[in-house]
Amino acid sequence: QQQVKQSPQSLIVQKGGISIINCAYENTAFDYFPWYQQFPGKGPALLIAIRPDVSEKKEGRFTISFNKSAKQFSLHIMDSQPGDSATYFCAAEVSGGSNYKLTFGKGTLLTVNP
Amino acid sequence: KAGVTQTPRYLIKTRGQQVTLSCSPISGHRSVSWYQQTPGQGLQFLFEYFSETQRNKGNFPGRFSGRQFSNSRSEMNVSTLELGDSALYLCASSLEGKGVTEAFFGQGTRLTVV
């Protein structure tokens, strides 16, 4: 059972465009939703994270939108740059619970063309 | 501040052998988690340790084991290697785990089983 579903699998965007990656979750106990960015040959790096007490969080060109009722959250990359080309993973966790693990989506390979 | 260090970076092993991977967390971090990353399955949780205690284990066979030392350094061991164990093994550290504090990943150990 895939608890976090991520789409699309791959995405091609022109420089300056907006990249949008969506995730949906099933476990209503999830209350911590980070996004990770991974470049080839590197480990995932935390990009931005949100908790369900807010509907949106923005850090620079990166914004998370969160819809608790729909159990969905998305990453928006504004003014996408070639340097943003990477694989992006959404994740979810029950903070303070007994599971102590991040559940990841399958990832989205983003290519930003110059 | 040094990041999460995983050694070795690359390993080639033969089927049936065993392997030990090492992870040194960020100084002060007490939670260490291990993940297996493959193209087909994405990032899958192996186990999490906190103060030398395993708090959670993923759905992997008993051939996969781990431990954590008093200095928070962690090792994972895979015995009787199978071809399907070829993957990138990632270690993540955080202050407390449980989604309360951010998790930082190492660059991973690329294991190839031939």
Side-chain angles (χ1 to χ4, degrees):
Chain A
Q1 182 188 19
Q2 188 182 349
Q3 292 199 44
V4 178
K5 294 184 180 179
Q6 183 171 347
S7 63
Q9 203 169 4
S10 62
L11 179 63
I12 299 175
V13 174
Q14 291 300 118
K15 179 182 175 181
I18 302 174
S19 304
I20 302 174
I21 304 170
N22 301 299
C23 283
Y25 62 96
E26 299 169 5
N27 185 352
T28 55
F30 286 146
D31 62 354
Y32 174 64
F33 303 91
W35 284 89
Y36 284 85
Q37 178 189 57
Q38 185 177 30
F39 292 105
K42 302 290 187 181
L46 180 65
L47 197 57
I48 185 173
I50 197 168
R51 296 189 186 274
D53 52 343
V54 297
S55 60
E56 186 175 282
K57 182 174 181 180
K58 183 176 180 179
E59 290 185 2
R61 296 185 293 108
F62 300 91
T63 299
I64 299 179
S65 296
F66 184 82
N67 186 330
K68 188 174 181 178
S69 61
K71 294 188 288 184
Q72 295 176 346
F73 59 110
S74 59
L75 175 69
H76 295 234
I77 306 174
M78 311 299 288
D79 187 25
S80 298
Q81 299 296 312
D84 297 330
S85 297
T87 300
Y88 292 81
F89 294 93
C90 62
E93 185 168 10
V94 179
S95 63
S98 60
N99 286 327
Y100 311 119
K101 69 174 183 179
L102 285 163
T103 299
F104 284 89
K106 294 277 190 178
T108 297
L109 178 60
L110 172 65
T111 302
V112 181
N113 288 328
Chain B
K1 196 174 189 181
V4 178
T5 302
Q6 291 189 245
T7 56
R9 289 291 313 279
Y10 303 93
L11 267 178
I12 299 176
K13 289 287 188 179
T14 304
R15 268 183 305 175
Q17 287 186 313
Q18 76 166 20
V19 67
T20 299
L21 312 181
S22 179
C23 172
S24 293
I26 292 171
S27 177
H29 285 193
R30 296 192 295 168
S31 169
V32 174
S33 300
W34 289 88
Y35 292 83
Q36 182 195 64
Q37 184 175 22
T38 58
Q41 298 299 318
L43 283 141
Q44 292 190 292
F45 173 78
L46 281 156
F47 24 66
E48 189 262 358
Y49 288 88
F50 183 84
S51 293
E52 301 180 69
T53 300
Q54 185 183 89
R55 296 196 294 190
N56 195 20
K57 190 177 191 306
N59 295 324
F60 279 83
R63 301 184 296 106
F64 291 81
S65 62
R67 60 178 175 169
Q68 186 181 34
F69 302 94
S70 58
N71 61 359
S72 293
R73 190 178 71 85
S74 178
E75 290 181 347
M76 68 163 281
N77 183 276
V78 187
S79 62
T80 319
L81 284 165
E82 301 177 359
L83 294 178
D85 296 333
S86 295
L88 180 67
Y89 290 88
L90 293 160
C91 161
S93 81
S94 65
L95 279 170
E96 297 287 339
K98 300 189 289 185
V100 175
T101 54
E102 298 174 4
F104 296 88
F105 282 83
Q107 295 199 75
T109 294
R110 172 73 63 184
L111 172 64
T112 302
V113 182
V114 297

